[in-house]
Amino acid sequence: MPHLLFVVTAAGGLDDVADVAVAPLVARGWTVQVVPTPNAQTWLRSTGSMDRLAELTDLPVTAGSDYPPYRTATEARPDAAVVAPASFGTLNKLAAGIGDNRATTKLNELFGIRPARRVVILPNVNAAHVRHPAWERSRAALLAVPGLRLLLDPDVAELNEPGEPHPPLRWDLLLDAVGDPSVSPG
Ligand SMILES: Cc1cc2nc3c(=O)[nH]c(=O)nc-3n(C[C@H](O)[C@H](O)[C@H](O)COP(=O)(O)O)c2cc1C
């Protein structure tokens, strides 16, 4: 079964991950391995979503590093990956190649696997984040990863200012971009 690494970070919308994203991907035939960041795990635990994700995917869900690190070759070299919702902090870390937890470590490695894997990122960032001087560099670095799709409104005006409601996350675009397991990355 095609294997999809699904990284969840501590950003708004993470409680929708199970029902709006993971369930449909499992239904399409993906074996989905959810790896939360440590911060996301704390949030998911507080709402009971960790159990729901494990039940949906039939795999353990943990932010903790495991040893040996991979149980199978497909887990070491997944066919595709998703980062959603992706926080500003994790996006900058990935752009710089910083692997300070299990999720970022796995993604850093995946970005260099060839042939390139399909990687779909759905950020939850606001207008202040994208005005940060680090963002242009990070964005360019991420877009240089072969096979990576960054689903972010190009116009800052479409993003909310801090403290204002965030426009709904485009889970529909994420599911479209991931596609079916049988389709190769484009
Ligand atoms: C209630 C709350 C909501 C947050 N929402 C976001 C968000 O939508 N996007 C974001 O980039 N950071 C958000 N943050 C900040 C991140 O949680 C914080 O930067 C954290 O260190 C990210 O960790 P991670 O990327 O390792 O999961 C939020 C923080 C809190 C307390």
Side-chain angles (χ1 to χ4, degrees):
M1 282 270 268
H3 194 104
L4 185 138
L5 168 66
F6 198 124
V7 166
V8 182
T9 79
L14 91 171
D15 265 322
D16 294 329
V17 162
D19 291 320
V20 180
V22 172
L25 291 170
V26 169
R28 284 183 190 178
W30 290 101
T31 295
V32 180
Q33 184 185 21
V34 177
V35 178
T37 63
N39 292 325
Q41 176 163 279
T42 304
W43 292 12
L44 291 168
R45 276 204 178 125
S46 71
T47 60
S49 294
M50 291 287 282
D51 293 340
R52 171 95 181 113
L53 288 166
E55 182 189 312
L56 273 174
T57 60
D58 210 18
L59 282 173
V61 177
T62 175
S65 297
D66 41 1
Y67 190 84
Y70 305 115
R71 289 163 303 172
T72 61
T74 37
E75 193 175 316
R77 299 190 297 278
D79 301 288
V82 161
V83 191
S87 72
F88 185 64
T90 288
L91 289 170
N92 287 314
K93 283 194 256 183
L94 292 174
I98 295 169
D100 62 344
N101 58 52
R102 184 170 178 232
T104 49
T105 301
K106 277 175 174 281
L107 287 166
N108 280 338
E109 200 168 65
L110 186 105
F111 288 1
I113 292 176
R114 297 293 176 271
R117 288 352 191 207
R118 190 181 322 171
V119 180
V120 183
I121 299 180
L122 181 63
N124 187 344
V125 295
N126 62 36
H129 288 135
V130 305
R131 287 189 209 108
H132 190 292
W135 178 241
E136 263 320 301
R137 283 194 305 277
S138 291
R139 184 174 172 277
L142 290 169
L143 292 176
V145 177
L148 188 145
R149 291 275 313 275
L150 185 64
L151 302 174
L152 183 67
D153 291 333
D155 183 350
V156 175
E158 295 173 35
L159 297 171
N160 63 296
E161 293 295 333
E164 290 176 352
H166 190 281
L169 282 186
R170 298 297 306 272
W171 296 107
D172 55 327
L173 296 182
L174 174 92
L175 293 173
D176 285 352
V178 173
D180 290 329
S182 53
V183 182
S184 305

